[in-house]
Amino acid sequence: MSNKTESRFEFRRRARRRALQALYQWHLTGMDVGEILIQFREEQDFSNVDTELFATLVRKVSKEQLDLDQKIAPFMDRPIAQLDVIEHVILSMGAYELLHSIEVPHQVVIDEAINLAKLFGAEQGHSYINGVLDKAAKQWRDPASCLPFRQA
């Protein structure tokens, strides 16, 4: 993998981490999303972050939260209200990317969500995230391209 591709991937990974933190803050505080974006840009180093992806995820996921909840609910075994906030945000981000970022392979979306859950979520949260997003990807993406994906 070239250094440029690797850097782009890492910049996007950092954007997802920051977006998770910003959306978590939004869920807990109800602050205006615009204020949260400004706060994050003022208080954190964004030199190695895909700022466009960060802002898109925060703005779009917060704006489409109810719709994303409705779309992901059929793949879950419990009501959204019973989810941990971190799991809820990760599923929402994953659902958004599966539905709207078709250029990103579904395996990448799921893998990134799993990694976020391992870093920030409950002990077995990553397994739940994997199962829900895997089922969603099979319906939302081209079935031929959605062979089962399991992280080692």
Side-chain angles (χ1 to χ4, degrees):
M1 184 181 294
S2 75
N3 200 20
K4 184 177 180 182
T5 304
E6 189 173 333
S7 295
R8 182 172 179 265
F9 180 76
E10 277 303 313
F11 284 20
R12 293 177 64 79
R13 175 170 277 170
R14 289 183 189 112
R16 288 183 183 98
R17 284 184 198 152
R18 297 262 167 76
L20 169 64
Q21 294 166 337
L23 288 164
Y24 179 78
Q25 180 176 334
W26 173 71
H27 270 271
L28 291 183
T29 67
M31 272 178 70
D32 178 73
V33 169
E35 290 177 28
I36 292 172
L37 289 171
I38 291 168
Q39 177 189 7
F40 267 68
R41 287 191 179 118
E42 288 175 352
E43 295 178 3
Q44 297 189 27
D45 177 13
F46 272 79
S47 61
N48 294 327
V49 175
D50 182 334
T51 55
E52 185 178 331
L53 177 61
F54 164 74
T56 297
L57 286 172
V58 174
R59 287 186 194 284
K60 299 291 186 173
V61 170
S62 63
K63 182 180 179 183
E64 298 179 24
Q65 186 65 74
L66 293 176
D67 185 52
L68 292 168
D69 287 351
Q70 289 175 345
K71 288 181 176 166
I72 201 78
F75 307 106
M76 297 172 38
D77 63 357
R78 64 185 97 148
I80 298 249
Q82 291 181 4
L83 288 177
D84 176 77
V85 176
I86 289 287
E87 289 175 351
H88 186 193
V89 173
I90 293 169
L91 284 173
S92 299
M93 288 172 51
Y96 176 82
E97 286 201 85
L98 285 172
L99 290 165
H100 300 288
S101 300
I102 303 303
E103 73 283 359
V104 180
H106 75 278
Q107 297 97 328
V108 171
V109 173
I110 295 170
D111 190 45
E112 288 293 294
I114 290 168
N115 287 331
L116 287 171
K118 284 181 177 179
L119 283 172
F120 299 103
E123 190 172 324
Q124 291 302 314
H126 67 281
S127 296
Y128 187 72
I129 299 290
N130 183 23
V132 172
L133 291 179
D134 188 53
K135 289 178 208 169
K138 287 176 183 171
Q139 282 199 15
W140 296 343
R141 295 280 183 106
D142 175 15
S145 72
C146 290
L147 299 174
F149 173 73
R150 300 289 180 255
Q151 185 176 14

